[in-house]
Amino acid sequence: MTLSTQERFDLITNNLEEIIGADELKMMLESGKEINHYVGFEISGKLHIGQAVMIMQKVKDLMDAGIKVHIFLADWHSYLNDKFAGDLVLIKEVADGYFKEIFKAAILMLGGDPEKLNFITASEYYSSHPDFWLTFLEVSKNTTLSRIERSISIMGREEGAAKDFGSLAYPPMQAADIFAMNIQIAQGGIDQRKIHVIMRDTADKIKTNAPMFDGKRVKPVAIHTKLLPSLAKPAIWPIPEDMDKRELLNKGKMSKSDPNSAMFMMDDPQVIRKKIMKGFCMEKEIGYNPILEWMDMIVFARETGGITIERPDEHGGNISFADYADLQTKFENGDVHPIDVKNYLADYLINLFAPARAYFEEPSKKAMLERVEEILEIISKKKK
RNA sequence: CCGGAGGUAGUUCAGUUGGUAGAACGGGGGACUGUAAAUCCCUAUGUCGGUGGUUCAAGUCCGCCCCUCCGGACCA
């Protein structure tokens, strides 16, 4: 089964929030040469649903499109961002074992081949490629402090919050990662946009590890997936007429640090159900409705043939939807109730995650999971 | 390095002349809705930055230390 260039392009770009450099991508696909992709992750104890589904589904699409995919384990970046209380030894331990397995589990549940995932650990890459640091300096030299500062909100910090100088090294590191590893497609959530733009802007100026493809200088392409909104009630409700819904969704993106707004791939089924049930969902309201957004971004993105919600006759019996627009119409009319949708979504996620949970039933993997829980326990005590 | 202002609940802060630590928001639980939200009840918060001292008694007074913010100084 060989795909046409157009089919490959469509696989890579479907369901994206945006692509920067579509022309470069087409050109590279035309060449038929191997294309390297990467997506970076800070090391954490859990994979949240945005990473597990939105990011990894795109990795699976890329895999299907014949792109060489890389998962970049950003251990030093995690240290800069105070993950695991800034304990590099613990970060490294988790990165080397458990964290790789959790990505294999994620790609497996999405129907991909774990063998096709290539892992690169930041610290190891840096020590074997010392010229990375010259690239890092070149990126730094070719951008400005104010752009770095503006790009830094991706680290999940509030603006104005105390930041150390090391955190400023983060964006140029991330840009330099892409050049040093000879990446043609850099993937991230739309929150990574500012850093990727810095990367693209400096791409022409880099001398060491200049981005080359097929003998030519080509700016790496940035692809950005959508962010799942928080299920909590928005800060402002009702929403004023003149407010940009997209801005609001962005503001309400899930935060890993707030356990109530985030859902994790390895959450117990009953926890998943509870989190969905707690979600803000106004009856007949389609203007701002995070539950419906999840249906769109998760369910309809995958179920292109439509879905059927099963429900007892007393609540109207089973009801089918051809696509998301159909769901919106019927929801707005009141043909389908929030609980119907929530039940469906909860079941859907529980089933979707089931293979990943099963993957960790295997004794050696279970031991890793328990060890990570132990580490997280140590960290929370350490913080106190 | 000097000066100023700070450090109290998850967050923003209040805390009288020293006398058992508070509010709001957020969190948790319940009522009401076929969900959630809104509304109404109920509820838990904590090494008061650390340490030594004065005192019957210290968040509060004193000494030392740590950290944050602002300004100044230094700039061969």
Side-chain angles (χ1 to χ4, degrees), chain A residues 134-146:
Chain A
L134 187 49
T135 304
F136 168 82
L137 292 180
E138 288 176 354
V139 172
S140 304
K141 186 75 178 128
N142 285 288
T143 190
T144 62
L145 178 58
S146 65

Side-chain angles (χ1 to χ4, degrees), chain A residues 138-176:
Chain A
E138 288 176 354
V139 172
S140 304
K141 186 75 178 128
N142 285 288
T143 190
T144 62
L145 178 58
S146 65
R147 292 192 68 179
I148 295 293
E149 285 181 319
R150 278 188 291 129
S151 73
I152 226 155
S153 64
I154 67 139
M155 294 167 67
R157 302 259 177 90
E158 280 177 50
E159 277 177 56
K163 59 172 174 287
D164 52 74
F165 179 75
S167 63
L168 296 176
Y170 195 113
M173 263 172 80
Q174 191 174 333

